[in-house]
Amino acid sequence: MATHARRHVLPGFKLSLGFTWTYVGLLVLIPLSSLFLKTFSLTWPQFWETVTAPRALAAYRLSFGASFAAALANVVFGLLVAWVLVRYRFPGRSFVESLVDLPFALPTAVAGLTLTTLFSSKGWYGQHLEALGFKVAYSSVGVAVALTFIGLPFVVRTVQPVLEDIDADVEEAAATLGATPTQTFTRVLFPAILPALLSGFTLAFARALGEYGSVVFISGNMPLRTEIVPLLIVTKLEQYDYAGATAIAVVMLVASFLLLLVVNVLQRWSHRRLEARPGA
């Protein structure tokens, strides 16, 4: 039987693969390789002393801790926002849809100034929170708030299409079979949206790790207390300590890559588990 080559709209595999490697090499591999090459100007003891200095360790703890807390908060509240936008029709829905995307378009420095103004001791939110004993601006809580702000769209826009594909009849069928709302969510909805939630968490977490503009104002930038890793790198660059800055950047790069790798493995596992379910 005669075979016919499959025609594609875009160029064939070899040309596409060559373009992919060239594009990724020029924009990702070569810049990251230069980062490692600059770090090699340090000896191993110098590198270890730089990346394990107390100021650097405090910055790692704050960056990773606040990014994790912000991504986790966005998973919970992003799911609720996506659920409301998909399942309900209400006046102003289009306006809320636009507001969700605002952190994508808003300059991060503008977001940082706005959040700092709101949560300062004389701000609309901050004056009431400080009266209750909660200090947000110029604390680690403020860092988490800024990272939550910039990460929300990643979760909403990842989960929303999946929820749209799940017919409301599925929930009604589960209810007619005697399932409680909790059982419907945990046994019907949650397994279906878990891969999307993990993807949203990954994107929000990765975005928060590298965030600078929205955090630099609200954090107060106090070494050992509210200084994030990107700011520490900038500080070292301003002090002409280029090797020290690249050493810390390499640590962040490796740690971020490993974390993203773990989350991607979890995503594949959840996809396979979902496909293996009866009726999937």
Side-chain angles (χ1 to χ4, degrees), residues 37-51:
L37 289 175
K38 184 65 181 177
T39 308
F40 289 156
S41 63
L42 294 174
T43 63
W44 172 253
Q46 289 174 327
F47 173 81
W48 186 251
E49 183 181 2
T50 300
V51 300

Side-chain angles (χ1 to χ4, degrees), residues 27-268:
L27 290 182
V28 180
L29 291 180
I30 293 177
L32 294 183
S33 299
S34 65
L35 189 68
F36 281 91
L37 289 175
K38 184 65 181 177
T39 308
F40 289 156
S41 63
L42 294 174
T43 63
W44 172 253
Q46 289 174 327
F47 173 81
W48 186 251
E49 183 181 2
T50 300
V51 300
T52 59
R55 186 175 176 181
L57 293 177
Y60 298 146
R61 283 194 294 271
L62 179 60
S63 286
F64 281 97
S67 298
F68 183 82
L72 208 58
N74 278 326
V75 164
V76 177
F77 296 107
L79 172 60
L80 293 176
V81 172
W83 176 265
V84 170
L85 291 176
V86 171
R87 285 292 189 262
Y88 301 100
R89 296 292 180 270
F90 53 90
R93 179 176 174 276
S94 298
F95 181 67
V96 176
E97 284 264 15
S98 303
L99 286 179
V100 169
D101 291 330
L102 192 59
F104 278 145
L106 190 68
T108 54
V110 175
L113 282 172
T114 304
L115 292 173
T116 305
T117 304
L118 286 175
F119 287 101
S120 66
S121 58
K122 297 181 180 178
W124 289 358
Y125 302 161
Q127 58 180 324
H128 301 295
L129 291 173
E130 290 199 10
L132 297 173
F134 298 104
K135 182 176 176 58
V136 178
Y138 314 122
S139 71
S140 57
V141 179
V143 176
V145 169
L147 298 181
T148 304
F149 174 82
I150 58 101
L152 178 66
F154 292 96
V155 177
V156 176
R157 295 310 181 205
T158 306
V159 175
Q160 192 173 357
V162 179
L163 287 175
E164 288 173 344
D165 287 340
I166 301 176
D167 202 322
D169 292 344
V170 175
E171 302 160 40
E172 295 173 3
T176 57
L177 293 173
T180 63
T182 303
Q183 289 173 328
T184 302
F185 176 76
T186 56
R187 297 186 181 183
V188 178
L189 294 178
F190 186 72
I193 62 175
L194 179 59
L197 280 176
L198 286 173
S199 296
F201 175 86
T202 305
L203 292 172
F205 183 75
R207 176 71 179 83
L209 280 179
E211 178 59 19
Y212 176 78
S214 64
V215 180
V216 70
F217 296 105
I218 199 170
S219 67
N221 309 319
M222 291 173 279
L224 300 173
R225 293 180 58 191
T226 61
E227 186 179 49
I228 57 174
V229 174
L231 180 66
L232 179 58
I233 293 173
V234 171
T235 302
K236 287 189 172 293
L237 290 175
E238 291 174 345
Q239 296 170 348
Y240 304 103
D241 183 7
Y242 299 120
T246 55
I248 294 174
V250 163
V251 171
M252 286 293 288
L253 178 65
V254 172
S256 301
F257 179 77
L258 291 176
L259 285 171
L260 292 177
L261 188 63
V262 169
V263 174
N264 283 332
V265 171
L266 288 174
Q267 280 181 277
R268 291 189 178 187

